[in-house]
Amino acid sequence: MREASFIKRNKNKWLLFENVLNKTAQVSPDKLSDLYIEVTDDLSYAKTFYPQSNTERYLNAIASKAHQKIYKTKKESKNRLVTFFKTEFPLEFVKYHKQLLVAFLTFIFFVIVGAYSASANGDFVRLILGDNYVNTTLDNIAKGDPMAVYKKMEESNMFILITLNNIKVAMTAFVYGMLFSVGTLFVMMRNGIMLGSFLYFFYEKGLLWESSRTIWIHGTIEISVIIIAGCAGLVLGNGLLFPKTYTRLASFKKSFKAGLKIMVSTIPFFIVAGFLEGFVTRHTEMPDWLALFIIISSFIAIIYYYVLYPIKLTKQKQYGKE
């Protein structure tokens, strides 16, 4: 085949492929794959029959450009997890700060309700926390070690069981969002009332400070991330309640994916919380300054990653900074 005929037969295909590479045209992934295979075949043909020609140089250039883009994509995929936590998730999560605020305010409201109810009814704490826990804790208080409950289990077993249980609670808060957000708010209510009752129980015994400096070593992250899971549940529920221009099914799929990303972001924090509860909280003899350091550092880490960092990253993107 003469070179001119070869060019005439294939030039539209080459131009389309080049435009796709330059992002001035779009095709389906399957079509793009077919184009890449055809262009590389044409390049092999040109090298055989038109060596050192402008046609060969042109095809080699666009094939090389395509190869570089594919290689770059593969290279980025190796760092997918890092990219997710560093940029992808924070940039997306900033859109859900309203849901986070709703989950937080709901939780805090029911913490207050739990504390007030415990103060108004002496049996309320037993109803919420259970007779076994209350009786065991009263015995520990009488023995002079009110936080002994955190020392009963072996460290590694406690770490694993606590981490899995916390993830289970968080997943419940998320999945219950399918009940049009009401289920998630119920989980926030239940956990808020439990915490409020717990705090009032120790306050009534004159042990609020001692209990707080102990439980918040792990509880700062644990409670915070349960609230974040509540945010994920509200994102899921809102997708069902307010589909906007999407069909309800499409909106559900979109919100489920967004909520699942929020849940994935919490896993490292739950592992840290489980580690602290399993290995650190039991050391009630640690000095106050160390306990406060762990608590404050945990609080700053949560606030920075879920609130401040997403806002900062979004502003940097808007102003074109790196």
Side-chain angles (χ1 to χ4, degrees):
M1 184 188 299
R2 296 180 60 182
E3 185 177 357
S5 298
F6 178 69
I7 294 172
K8 184 177 181 180
R9 176 180 294 184
N10 295 293
K11 68 177 182 178
N12 290 335
K13 172 179 61 182
W14 300 341
L15 288 172
L16 175 60
F17 187 62
E18 188 176 16
N19 289 336
V20 172
L21 292 178
N22 292 330
K23 297 182 178 180
T24 57
Q26 290 185 340
V27 296
S28 69
D30 289 340
K31 177 65 175 177
L32 180 59
S33 176
D34 291 341
L35 284 172
Y36 178 72
I37 293 170
E38 290 176 24
V39 167
T40 53
D41 286 345
D42 291 343
L43 174 60
S44 298
Y45 186 90
K47 283 181 176 181
T48 302
F49 295 100
Y50 319 117
Q52 306 302 318
S53 66
N54 288 332
T55 302
E56 182 199 345
R57 284 191 286 270
Y58 170 74
L59 290 172
N60 188 61
I62 60 174
S64 296
K65 187 174 182 179
H67 177 76
Q68 288 172 359
K69 284 183 175 292
I70 293 169
Y71 176 77
K72 182 179 178 182
T73 301
K74 286 183 178 178
K75 187 175 181 181
E76 288 179 349
S77 66
K78 295 178 181 177
N79 299 320
R80 184 70 177 82
L81 200 60
V82 175
T83 302
F84 173 79
F85 282 101
K86 187 178 179 181
T87 55
E88 180 184 333
F89 170 74
L91 283 172
E92 185 171 339
F93 188 68
V94 74
K95 298 184 294 186
Y96 306 120
H97 278 176
K98 288 183 179 178
Q99 288 90 330
L100 179 62
L101 180 61
V102 171
F104 171 75
L105 293 177
T106 301
F107 186 84
I108 293 300
F109 173 76
F110 284 107
V111 168
I112 296 170
V113 169
Y116 175 78
S117 299
S119 69
N121 186 341
D123 294 329
F124 187 77
V125 173
R126 290 183 176 274
L127 176 66
I128 298 300
L129 301 180
D131 287 331
N132 183 57
Y133 178 84
V134 173
N135 291 335
T136 300
T137 303
L138 288 174
D139 289 341
N140 291 334
I141 292 172
K143 294 174 183 176
D145 192 3
M147 297 290 108
V149 67
Y150 294 105
K151 307 173 186 178
K152 293 176 63 177
M153 193 180 298
E154 190 270 332
E155 287 98 330
S156 298
N157 290 337
M158 188 173 184
F159 162 58
I160 293 170
L161 290 174
I162 290 296
T163 300
L164 292 176
N165 181 69
N166 288 341
I167 292 174
K168 177 184 175 183
V169 172
M171 286 302 298
T172 301
F174 169 54
V175 173
Y176 276 24
M178 287 191 289
L179 301 175
F180 299 96
S181 296
V182 176
T184 295
L185 295 176
F186 172 77
V187 176
M188 293 295 99
M189 177 191 73
R190 185 176 62 185
N191 284 274
I193 289 175
M194 287 178 63
L195 179 60
S197 302
F198 178 89
L199 292 174
Y200 185 82
F201 173 68
F202 283 99
Y203 167 77
E204 190 177 39
K205 303 301 177 184
L207 295 168
L208 181 61
W209 166 246
E210 185 171 350
S211 64
S212 295
R213 71 178 289 282
T214 301
I215 65 166
W216 289 110
I217 287 174
H218 63 270
T220 302
I221 293 179
E222 181 181 300
I223 296 300
S224 297
V225 184
I226 287 175
I227 292 172
I228 292 162
C231 167
L234 292 178
V235 170
L236 176 59
N238 286 354
L240 286 168
L241 286 170
F242 311 109
K244 297 180 180 178
T245 57
Y246 300 95
T247 64
R248 201 170 295 277
L249 179 60
S251 180
F252 170 74
K253 290 179 178 179
K254 184 172 180 289
S255 61
F256 183 85
K257 183 178 179 181
L260 196 58
K261 285 184 178 181
I262 297 173
M263 294 305 301
V264 170
S265 79
T266 66
I267 292 174
F269 289 99
F270 272 129
I271 292 172
V272 172
F275 174 83
L276 290 173
E277 187 166 359
F279 291 93
V280 181
T281 299
R282 65 180 60 238
H283 295 288
T284 54
E285 75 283 357
M286 76 170 65
D288 288 350
W289 68 265
L290 181 56
L292 285 172
F293 174 77
I294 296 171
I295 293 167
I296 294 171
S297 298
S298 299
F299 179 75
I300 290 173
I302 290 290
I303 293 298
Y304 180 76
Y305 186 69
Y306 284 99
V307 180
L308 302 179
Y309 182 60
I311 294 172
K312 176 185 175 182
L313 210 59
T314 302
K315 288 182 178 178
Q316 287 179 345
K317 185 179 180 182
Q318 288 174 346
Y319 289 104
K321 297 179 181 178
E322 295 185 355

